[in-house]
Amino acid sequence: MVGVLGKRRMLLCISVAVLIAVCFLSTQNIEPASSCYGPHITADIDRTEVNLNETVTCTGKVCPAAENKTVRFAFTRPDYTYIEQYVLTDPVTGNFTVTQQLDMVGYWNIFAIDGHICDRLFAEVTDPANPDAPLPSPSVDLNYKPNYSVIGVSAVLLSLGALVFYFGTRNQTRKITAIRTFVQIGLIFVIFFGIFIDHYSYPIPAAQISTHELDIATNVLGVDMPDGLPLPLYGCYYPCGRIGTCALWQIQTYIYPFFDAGSGWGVHYASEGVLRLAVVFGIIILAAVLLGKVFCGWVCPFGLYLDLMTRLRKALKIKRRVFSDRFNERFHQLGYVILALIVILSVVFASQAITGTQLVSGTEKGGNIYTYFSAPFCQVCPMKPLCLLAESSVGLMRPEWLVQNTTGQFFEVGFYLTSTNLIILAIVSIAAFFFRRSWCQICPLGALIALFNRFPPFKWISGVRLNKVEEKCTKCGICKRVCPTQVKDVYEKKDGDVANSQCIYCLRCVEMCPQEDCLQLKLLGKKVATSRNWLNKSDTLKLE
């Protein structure tokens, strides 16, 4: 035990040292903040509390700068009528200034727009002479329209899931896998429920909600959470329609750049970042204690993608590969290193907000880090391009948003997608094709869940347990061979809870174990799945 803890401490020290070195080296080569790092627009307003018929001033910067370039301002009244202004920008710096009188009481949305890129501001207008006057009612069309493209794709995928479920449940050695696949496909449409309808019409001010969302629980114990509940899975922030948000995105951005209350990306945060982070970690800890990495094996959409890569390999009759035990153990630890890097890097970027001292240039609003690297993991996340490409294919996002590159920077394919995203997705896909669930071994979100489920004191109160009955085990080794993440504890441990931090609770070991009640999955103390003696059946043994 001491040796394991020593290795983990050493690993953490190494990761911190690497991070400090990376941060130090990065500061040596960063260009001045006035440089343009890609197409973007940033804007600020001089005040958000305004009296009726007073004037506000908005300033900002557009990149890239150009001769005779204008940006469009849309001052949207509370009743959703609007005032447009076209403002000429400075040809060298891209700076602009615009003033506007606000002539209606209520909540104004203010958009600074350059092509398909915009920044969103707001102002709350009151009338001192008549403070109790009712607010105007927004005139919006609430007749939501279904998205038939999404409904068609959903019908096909759910039908596919039903076929897998039907034929799989007839095979005793594929019964749980079939159920799991059906659940995974169905939950995708629950996680992204909003994609079924036209979610652009809301009867409330747009800056009070997360853009293009049907979020749930945007207020938790008085803490404002406009991005919705944190999900312990890859519910990507960037595409529309989700009911919550990937916890990693919230952890990153609530540290930097939205540590303080104020404007976010299209929303306004009324609560401080510390409070929002407390909600995120509170919910993640609760979810991890209750279900642990069941989220990874049964819910995460990216897990389904990895499983489909395995099915494709098997359909092509290509033999799988396995990591050596020594490499697999070290490879798994990389997930904790990545998680540590994400958190520490975000803290370094947020140094201005946290300590009042800027450690890395470019982290100010409009700087290159603020614009393109605010959420560092999202720039390499392999799930992000899958979500964006899927939604653009059914008409929910415009394809040019993903691929339009006006500056030629390698890291920037479009406003939402990076070259690094695509490269990482390609690498992860190839690895998953040959090595089952290889990404799950180093997934930082899985590492976050494991921290609050597989290690003391959380392990002692975990709601999910994979128990083994020693006297029923014949050491046939099937459980070790079929495990997609190459967990050895199920085979090597004698009895009790045999799941470790690598286990994603796919239950492949349970459905393949040929000994009656040798392996049992318990949720909140209740047995929900157990191994069966299928050797007397007519099923064919398949060890994948």
Side-chain angles (χ1 to χ4, degrees):
M1 183 67 179
V2 175
V4 173
L5 289 175
K7 288 181 180 179
R8 286 177 180 161
R9 290 194 189 101
M10 183 181 297
L11 194 61
L12 180 60
C13 291
I14 292 173
S15 66
V16 172
V18 170
L19 177 66
I20 293 173
V22 170
C23 291
F24 175 79
L25 291 174
S26 66
T27 61
Q28 310 306 304
N29 299 297
I30 290 181
E31 299 177 30
S34 59
S35 299
C36 181
Y37 296 90
H40 68 273
I41 184 170
T42 57
D44 284 298
I45 190 169
D46 61 339
R47 55 207 171 105
T48 56
E49 302 292 334
V50 186
N51 289 330
L52 182 64
N53 292 322
E54 286 186 344
T55 299
V56 294
T57 300
C58 300
T59 57
K61 174 181 176 181
V62 63
C63 284
E67 292 283 348
N68 300 318
K69 183 168 188 174
T70 60
V71 297
R72 181 168 70 94
F73 261 85
F75 293 85
T76 308
R77 296 185 178 94
D79 65 354
Y80 280 9
T81 61
Y82 60 92
I83 305 167
E84 276 191 324
Q85 282 203 50
Y86 287 85
V87 184
L88 188 66
T89 64
D90 186 283
V92 177
T93 64
N95 294 333
F96 56 82
T97 300
V98 60
T99 59
Q100 177 61 48
Q101 184 184 55
L102 306 185
D103 58 7
M104 180 178 287
V105 171
Y107 193 103
W108 286 63
N109 288 285
I110 303 169
F111 301 89
I113 307 167
D114 176 33
H116 63 267
I117 306 172
C118 75
D119 199 2
R120 185 179 301 178
L121 308 172
F122 79 96
E124 293 180 314
V125 179
T126 57
D127 185 359
N130 192 11
D132 298 323
L135 297 177
S137 301
S139 56
V140 294
D141 181 11
L142 299 181
N143 296 318
Y144 295 120
K145 299 177 182 178
N147 189 309
Y148 295 107
S149 300
V150 175
I151 292 174
V153 172
S154 303
V156 172
L157 290 178
L158 289 173
S159 298
L160 177 63
L163 290 174
V164 173
F165 174 78
Y166 175 74
F167 289 106
T169 50
R170 298 173 64 183
N171 185 332
Q172 290 298 313
T173 61
R174 288 287 173 183
K175 187 173 183 179
I176 296 178
T177 296
I179 296 172
R180 184 167 57 87
T181 302
F182 184 73
V183 170
Q184 285 175 301
I185 293 175
L187 286 178
I188 286 179
F189 303 109
V190 175
I191 296 168
F192 293 96
F193 174 77
I195 62 178
F196 286 100
I197 63 174
D198 176 8
H199 41 271
Y200 291 96
S201 297
Y202 282 97
I204 58 177
Q208 292 183 355
I209 58 174
S210 187
T211 51
H212 310 316
E213 296 310 313
L214 284 176
D215 289 329
I216 56 175
T218 55
N219 187 286
V220 180
L221 301 177
V223 178
D224 178 54
M225 298 290 290
D227 303 307
L229 283 178
L231 300 177
L233 48 89
Y234 287 119
C236 187
Y237 167 86
Y238 296 92
C240 55
R242 55 188 162 68
I243 62 173
T245 298
C246 171
L248 279 182
W249 182 89
Q250 290 181 315
I251 290 172
Q252 292 175 97
T253 57
Y254 291 172
I255 297 174
Y256 172 81
F258 309 131
F259 186 77
D260 296 325
S263 296
W265 292 330
V267 300
H268 179 74
Y269 295 111
S271 300
E272 296 290 336
V274 171
L275 295 176
R276 285 179 270 123
L277 286 169
V279 170
V280 173
F281 279 104
I283 292 176
I284 291 301
I285 291 173
L286 179 62
V289 168
L290 291 177
L291 293 176
K293 294 181 79 170
V294 169
F295 288 102
C296 305
W298 289 74
V299 184
C300 181
F302 197 63
L304 174 62
Y305 173 75
L306 299 178
D307 288 339
L308 293 178
M309 295 301 295
T310 295
R311 289 180 178 272
L312 175 62
R313 174 185 55 76
K314 292 174 65 178
L316 297 175
K317 301 184 184 301
I318 297 175
K319 187 177 180 180
R320 65 180 173 89
R321 305 289 190 271
V322 295
F323 298 127
S324 68
D325 290 343
R326 184 178 181 183
F327 176 83
N328 188 56
E329 182 178 350
R330 295 183 176 182
F331 187 57
H332 171 63
Q333 298 299 322
L334 187 58
Y336 300 102
V337 175
I338 296 173
L339 179 61
L341 290 174
I342 290 171
V343 174
I344 301 174
L345 197 59
S346 296
V347 170
V348 171
F349 289 165
S351 59
Q352 181 70 49
I354 297 174
T355 67
T357 302
Q358 186 183 44
L359 297 179
V360 181
S361 62
T363 55
E364 69 282 353
K365 186 172 183 180
N368 67 309
I369 291 178
Y370 177 93
T371 304
Y372 284 102
F373 303 104
S374 294
F377 177 73
C378 296
Q379 309 311 311
V380 300
C381 177
M383 180 63 177
K384 183 180 176 183
L386 282 180
C387 287
L388 296 174
L389 294 171
E391 294 213 359
S392 66
S393 68
V394 292
L396 287 170
M397 297 188 75
R398 296 172 68 174
E400 60 265 28
W401 295 358
L402 308 182
V403 298
Q404 189 177 60
N405 184 351
T406 59
T407 62
Q409 296 289 340
F410 174 75
F411 60 77
E412 175 212 342
V413 174
F415 188 65
Y416 291 95
L417 201 56
T418 70
S419 300
T420 314
N421 282 132
L422 297 175
I423 292 171
I424 296 297
L425 175 60
I427 294 173
V428 170
S429 299
I430 294 171
F433 184 82
F434 293 103
F435 300 90
R436 301 166 298 176
R437 287 278 189 149
S438 50
W439 171 257
C440 295
Q441 296 284 65
I442 62 171
C443 172
L445 190 53
L448 179 65
I449 297 172
L451 283 175
F452 301 116
N453 180 266
R454 289 291 88 196
F455 299 102
F458 303 102
K459 183 176 181 177
W460 303 332
I461 57 174
S462 173
V464 57
R465 295 183 181 276
L466 181 60
N467 286 338
K468 176 181 177 180
V469 181
E470 180 184 6
E471 55 267 23
K472 295 184 179 182
C473 178
T474 61
K475 290 294 182 181
C476 64
I478 290 177
C479 56
K480 183 169 67 172
R481 282 178 282 168
V482 300
C483 180
T485 55
Q486 297 182 226
V487 173
K488 298 186 299 178
D489 292 27
V490 180
Y491 173 75
E492 294 178 350
K493 282 190 174 181
K494 292 184 177 181
D495 56 16
D497 188 1
V498 293
N500 63 14
S501 59
Q502 293 175 262
C503 179
I504 58 174
Y505 296 98
C506 66
L507 304 188
R508 189 75 177 116
C509 58
V510 174
E511 70 179 346
M512 286 302 299
C513 177
Q515 304 305 319
E516 193 79 16
D517 287 331
C518 179
L519 293 177
Q520 307 165 352
L521 177 73
K522 291 187 175 182
L523 289 179
L524 303 178
K526 302 293 184 180
K527 188 191 303 184
V528 296
T530 183
S531 58
R532 299 293 183 186
N533 182 6
W534 51 265
L535 288 175
N536 295 326
K537 311 292 182 180
S538 59
D539 300 293
T540 302
L541 176 62
K542 297 179 181 179
L543 295 181
E544 286 198 71

